[in-house]
Amino acid sequence: MTSKIAILAGDGIGPEIIAAAEKVIECLRQDFAFAAELEPAAIGGAGYDQHGQPLPEQTLDICKQADAILFGAIGGPQYDGLAGELRPEKGLLNLRSSLSLFSNLRPAILYPQLASASSLKSELVAGLDIMIVRELTGGIYFGGPRGIREREDGSREGFNTMVYAEHEIERIARSAFDIARLRNRGLCSVDKANVLEVSELWREVVDRVAEDYADVTVSHLYVDNAAMQLVRAPRQFDVIVTGNLFGDILSDTAAMLTGSIGMLPSASLDENGKGMFEPVHGSAPDIAGNNLANPLATILSLAMMLRYSLQQPQLAELIEAAVGAVLDQGLRTADIAAGASSVGTREMGDAVVAAIRAAGGR
Ligand code: IPM
Ligand code: MG
């Protein structure tokens, strides 16, 4: 079966890192009989420039028809002045919501070759392998009412609503328990149940779902404590499940523990495992177009796509092993070079392709 992959390069370094991942796809096609059809589409600032919308209708259609979506990055200073609905971020948020991509997997893995890149002492992070499961289509990001309104005294107030329906909590909890089962069977649910009713319900529902997963050890942490534990003793975590806002914040913290946000992939999945795959880092407009960006997070996102949406775990492993191989060879893009000599985006991508070919015997 031919897999249809929507390719959303976006803004900033997006086109460069996506080009590197496309070379990997091309190699899988030629050497490993991977049948894929690529459908490029505009998103974010590029969507606005080409079609006047951060999520153009034709892009949404292409994404709906695709089996999986590979996403680069969005945003840039030239779009900062746009009205809320036209901002590049809105394109990403609308895509997540339109496709019901509620389960966001954000692994934070420390590559042993890069141990010294972490801002924590290497003995605290050696072997780190955490999976953050962030709820992505609900909570305060999407809850209403929301807005900025005038008060009786003529001053203004801004307001948002953090709301989770039971079924939303239940499905993200099940998603996280299923993932914990494939790992070390530890699940920590993060909330703010000492203050927020929405978290009180969250905790209750997670505990109820836990009854179906007796083989998984469940714990609960308040989000402030979880943030502290992440930088105090991060290896205590296996899988963390949390809501949209807490997950946004904790996943950046977890990413930094690895010292190299340029290495981290992510997956956003719907109920049926269809998903969008994107690097955790952003569009880095300051280095865009200079062949400086690290393409490995995007290439590893492609590996997650092969594993989670396209049922090609061997190809996923092949890519992951090739990334390990290029790191072993000493190749580093500037973000992970710690001041030592570095290679460019294209060179890094080509090295991964060469390592895949070498492993495949060609
Ligand atoms: C992320 C980003 C997005 C978010 C922004 C760009 C809307 O920070 O994917 O973590 O807040 O979800
Ligand atoms: Mg974020």
Coordinates of all heavy atoms in Angstrom, one line a residue, residues 113-161:
Q113 N 26.0 10.2 23.3 CA 27.0 10.9 22.6 C 27.0 12.4 23.0 O 27.9 13.2 22.8 CB 26.9 10.8 21.1 CG 27.0 9.4 20.6 CD 25.7 8.7 20.4 OE1 24.7 9.0 21.2 NE2 25.6 7.8 19.5
L114 N 25.8 12.9 23.5 CA 25.6 14.3 23.7 C 25.4 14.6 25.2 O 24.9 15.7 25.6 CB 24.3 14.8 22.9 CG 24.3 14.5 21.4 CD1 23.0 15.0 20.8 CD2 25.5 15.3 20.8
A115 N 25.8 13.7 26.1 CA 25.6 13.8 27.5 C 26.1 15.2 28.0 O 25.4 15.8 28.9 CB 26.2 12.7 28.3
S116 N 27.2 15.7 27.5 CA 27.7 16.9 28.0 C 26.9 18.1 27.6 O 27.2 19.2 28.1 CB 29.2 17.0 27.6 OG 29.2 17.1 26.2
A117 N 26.0 18.0 26.7 CA 25.2 19.1 26.2 C 24.1 19.5 27.2 O 23.6 20.6 27.2 CB 24.6 18.8 24.9
S118 N 23.8 18.6 28.2 CA 22.7 18.9 29.1 C 23.1 20.0 30.1 O 24.3 20.1 30.4 CB 22.3 17.7 29.9 OG 21.4 18.0 30.9
S119 N 22.2 20.8 30.5 CA 22.5 21.8 31.5 C 22.6 21.2 32.9 O 22.9 21.9 33.8 CB 21.5 23.0 31.4 OG 20.2 22.4 31.4
L120 N 22.2 20.0 33.0 CA 22.3 19.3 34.3 C 23.6 18.4 34.3 O 24.1 18.1 33.3 CB 21.1 18.4 34.6 CG 19.7 19.0 34.8 CD1 18.8 18.0 35.4 CD2 19.8 20.2 35.7
K121 N 24.0 18.1 35.6 CA 25.2 17.2 35.7 C 24.9 15.9 34.9 O 23.8 15.4 35.0 CB 25.5 16.9 37.1 CG 25.8 18.2 38.0 CD 26.3 17.7 39.3 CE 26.2 18.8 40.4 NZ 24.9 18.8 41.1
S122 N 26.0 15.4 34.3 CA 25.7 14.2 33.4 C 25.3 13.0 34.2 O 24.5 12.2 33.7 CB 26.9 13.9 32.5 OG 28.1 14.0 33.2
E123 N 25.7 12.9 35.5 CA 25.2 11.7 36.3 C 23.7 11.8 36.6 O 23.1 10.8 36.8 CB 26.0 11.5 37.6 CG 25.9 12.6 38.6 CD 27.0 13.7 38.6 OE1 27.6 13.9 37.4 OE2 27.3 14.3 39.6
L124 N 23.1 13.0 36.5 CA 21.7 13.1 36.7 C 20.9 12.7 35.5 O 19.7 12.3 35.6 CB 21.3 14.5 37.1 CG 21.7 15.0 38.5 CD1 21.2 16.4 38.7 CD2 21.0 14.1 39.6
V125 N 21.5 12.9 34.3 CA 20.7 12.7 33.1 C 21.2 11.5 32.2 O 20.5 11.2 31.2 CB 20.7 14.0 32.2 CG1 19.9 15.1 32.8 CG2 22.1 14.4 31.9
A126 N 22.3 10.8 32.6 CA 22.7 9.7 31.8 C 21.6 8.7 31.7 O 21.0 8.3 32.6 CB 23.9 9.0 32.5
G127 N 21.3 8.3 30.4 CA 20.3 7.3 30.2 C 18.9 7.8 30.2 O 17.9 7.1 30.2
L128 N 18.7 9.1 30.3 CA 17.4 9.7 30.4 C 16.5 9.3 29.2 O 16.9 9.4 28.1 CB 17.5 11.2 30.5 CG 16.2 12.0 30.7 CD1 15.8 11.9 32.2 CD2 16.3 13.4 30.3
D129 N 15.3 8.9 29.5 CA 14.3 8.5 28.5 C 12.9 8.7 29.1 O 12.4 7.8 29.7 CB 14.6 7.0 28.1 CG 13.7 6.6 27.0 OD1 12.7 7.3 26.6 OD2 13.9 5.4 26.5
I130 N 12.4 9.8 28.8 CA 11.1 10.2 29.4 C 10.1 10.4 28.2 O 10.5 10.8 27.1 CB 11.1 11.5 30.1 CG1 12.0 11.4 31.3 CG2 9.7 11.9 30.6 CD1 12.2 12.8 32.0
M131 N 8.9 10.0 28.3 CA 7.9 10.3 27.3 C 6.8 11.1 28.0 O 6.1 10.7 28.9 CB 7.2 9.0 26.8 CG 6.1 9.2 25.8 SD 6.8 9.8 24.2 CE 7.1 8.3 23.4
I132 N 6.7 12.3 27.5 CA 5.6 13.2 27.9 C 4.4 13.0 27.0 O 4.5 13.1 25.8 CB 6.0 14.7 28.0 CG1 7.1 14.8 29.0 CG2 4.8 15.6 28.3 CD1 7.5 16.2 29.4
V133 N 3.2 12.7 27.6 CA 2.0 12.6 26.8 C 1.1 13.8 27.2 O 0.6 13.9 28.3 CB 1.3 11.3 27.1 CG1 0.0 11.2 26.2 CG2 2.2 10.1 26.8
R134 N 1.1 14.7 26.2 CA 0.4 16.0 26.5 C -1.0 16.0 25.8 O -1.0 15.7 24.5 CB 1.3 17.1 25.9 CG 0.6 18.5 25.8 CD 1.5 19.5 25.1 NE 0.8 20.8 24.9 CZ 1.2 21.7 24.1 NH1 2.3 21.6 23.3 NH2 0.5 22.9 24.0
E135 N -2.0 16.3 26.5 CA -3.3 16.5 25.9 C -3.2 17.7 25.0 O -2.8 18.8 25.4 CB -4.4 16.7 26.9 CG -5.8 16.4 26.5 CD -6.4 17.4 25.5 OE1 -6.1 18.6 25.6 OE2 -7.1 17.0 24.6
L136 N -3.7 17.6 23.7 CA -3.4 18.7 22.7 C -4.5 19.4 22.1 O -4.4 20.4 21.4 CB -2.5 18.0 21.6 CG -1.7 18.9 20.8 CD1 -0.6 19.7 21.6 CD2 -0.9 18.2 19.7
T137 N -5.8 19.0 22.4 CA -6.9 19.6 21.7 C -7.9 20.2 22.7 O -9.0 20.5 22.3 CB -7.6 18.7 20.7 OG1 -7.9 17.5 21.4 CG2 -6.7 18.4 19.5
G138 N -7.6 20.2 24.0 CA -8.5 20.7 24.9 C -7.9 21.7 25.9 O -6.8 22.3 25.7
G139 N -8.4 21.7 27.1 CA -7.9 22.5 28.2 C -8.0 24.0 27.9 O -8.8 24.5 27.1
I140 N -7.1 24.8 28.5 CA -7.2 26.2 28.5 C -6.9 26.8 27.1 O -7.2 27.9 26.7 CB -6.3 26.9 29.5 CG1 -6.7 28.3 29.8 CG2 -4.8 26.7 29.2 CD1 -6.0 28.9 31.0
Y141 N -6.2 26.0 26.2 CA -5.9 26.4 24.9 C -7.1 26.6 24.1 O -7.2 27.5 23.2 CB -5.0 25.4 24.2 CG -3.5 25.6 24.3 CD1 -2.9 25.7 25.6 CD2 -2.7 25.7 23.2 CE1 -1.6 25.8 25.7 CE2 -1.3 25.9 23.4 CZ -0.8 25.9 24.6 OH 0.6 26.1 24.7
F142 N -8.1 25.8 24.3 CA -9.3 25.8 23.4 C -10.6 26.2 24.2 O -11.6 26.3 23.6 CB -9.5 24.5 22.7 CG -8.4 24.2 21.7 CD1 -7.3 23.5 22.1 CD2 -8.4 24.7 20.4 CE1 -6.2 23.2 21.2 CE2 -7.4 24.5 19.5 CZ -6.3 23.7 19.9
G143 N -10.5 26.2 25.5 CA -11.7 26.4 26.3 C -12.4 27.8 26.2 O -11.7 28.7 26.0
G144 N -13.7 27.8 26.3 CA -14.4 29.1 26.3 C -15.2 29.2 27.6 O -15.5 28.2 28.2
P145 N -15.6 30.4 28.0 CA -15.4 31.6 27.3 C -13.9 32.1 27.4 O -13.2 31.7 28.3 CB -16.3 32.6 28.0 CG -16.5 32.1 29.3 CD -16.4 30.6 29.2
R146 N -13.5 32.9 26.4 CA -12.2 33.5 26.4 C -12.2 34.9 25.8 O -13.1 35.1 25.0 CB -11.2 32.6 25.6 CG -11.6 32.5 24.2 CD -10.8 31.4 23.5 NE -9.4 31.7 23.4 CZ -8.4 30.8 23.2 NH1 -8.7 29.5 23.0 NH2 -7.2 31.2 23.1
G147 N -11.3 35.7 26.1 CA -11.3 37.0 25.5 C -10.7 38.1 26.3 O -10.1 37.8 27.4
I148 N -10.9 39.3 25.9 CA -10.5 40.5 26.7 C -11.7 41.4 26.7 O -12.3 41.6 25.6 CB -9.3 41.2 26.0 CG1 -8.1 40.3 25.9 CG2 -9.0 42.5 26.7 CD1 -6.9 40.9 25.2
R149 N -12.2 41.8 27.9 CA -13.4 42.5 27.9 C -13.3 43.7 28.9 O -12.3 43.8 29.7 CB -14.6 41.6 28.4 CG -14.4 41.1 29.8 CD -15.5 40.1 30.1 NE -15.1 39.4 31.3 CZ -15.5 38.1 31.7 NH1 -16.3 37.5 30.9 NH2 -15.1 37.6 32.8
E150 N -14.3 44.6 28.8 CA -14.2 45.8 29.6 C -15.0 45.5 30.9 O -16.0 44.8 30.9 CB -14.9 46.9 28.9 CG -14.5 48.3 29.4 CD -14.9 49.4 28.4 OE1 -14.4 49.3 27.2 OE2 -15.6 50.3 28.8
R151 N -14.4 46.0 32.0 CA -15.1 45.9 33.3 C -15.9 47.1 33.6 O -15.9 48.1 32.8 CB -14.0 45.8 34.4 CG -13.1 44.5 34.2 CD -11.8 44.7 34.9 NE -11.9 45.0 36.3 CZ -11.8 44.1 37.3 NH1 -11.6 42.9 37.0 NH2 -11.9 44.5 38.5
E152 N -16.7 47.0 34.6 CA -17.6 48.1 34.9 C -16.9 49.4 35.1 O -17.4 50.5 34.7 CB -18.4 47.8 36.2 CG -19.7 47.0 35.8 CD -20.5 46.6 37.0 OE1 -20.2 47.1 38.1 OE2 -21.3 45.7 36.8
D153 N -15.7 49.3 35.7 CA -15.0 50.6 35.9 C -14.2 51.1 34.7 O -13.5 52.1 34.7 CB -14.0 50.4 37.1 CG -12.9 49.4 36.7 OD1 -12.9 48.9 35.6 OD2 -12.0 49.2 37.6
G154 N -14.5 50.4 33.5 CA -13.8 50.9 32.3 C -12.5 50.3 32.0 O -12.0 50.4 30.9
S155 N -11.9 49.7 33.0 CA -10.6 49.0 32.8 C -10.9 47.6 32.1 O -12.1 47.2 32.0 CB -9.9 48.8 34.1 OG -10.6 47.9 34.9
R156 N -9.9 47.0 31.6 CA -10.1 45.7 30.9 C -9.6 44.5 31.7 O -8.8 44.6 32.6 CB -9.4 45.7 29.5 CG -10.0 46.8 28.6 CD -9.2 46.8 27.3 NE -7.8 46.9 27.5 CZ -6.9 46.6 26.6 NH1 -7.2 46.0 25.5 NH2 -5.6 46.8 26.8
E157 N -10.2 43.3 31.3 CA -9.7 42.1 31.9 C -9.6 41.0 30.8 O -10.4 41.0 29.9 CB -10.5 41.6 33.1 CG -12.0 41.2 32.6 CD -12.8 40.9 33.8 OE1 -12.4 41.1 35.0 OE2 -14.0 40.4 33.6
G158 N -8.6 40.2 30.9 CA -8.4 39.1 30.0 C -8.8 37.8 30.7 O -8.6 37.7 31.9
F159 N -9.4 36.9 30.0 CA -9.9 35.7 30.6 C -9.8 34.5 29.7 O -10.0 34.6 28.5 CB -11.3 35.8 31.2 CG -12.3 36.3 30.1 CD1 -13.2 35.3 29.6 CD2 -12.3 37.6 29.7 CE1 -14.1 35.7 28.6 CE2 -13.2 37.9 28.7 CZ -14.1 37.0 28.2
N160 N -9.5 33.3 30.3 CA -9.6 32.0 29.5 C -10.2 31.0 30.5 O -10.3 31.2 31.6 CB -8.1 31.6 29.1 CG -7.6 32.5 28.1 OD1 -7.0 33.6 28.3 ND2 -7.8 32.1 26.8
T161 N -10.5 29.9 29.9 CA -11.2 28.8 30.6 C -10.5 27.5 30.5 O -10.2 27.0 29.4 CB -12.6 28.6 30.1 OG1 -13.3 29.9 30.1 CG2 -13.4 27.6 30.9

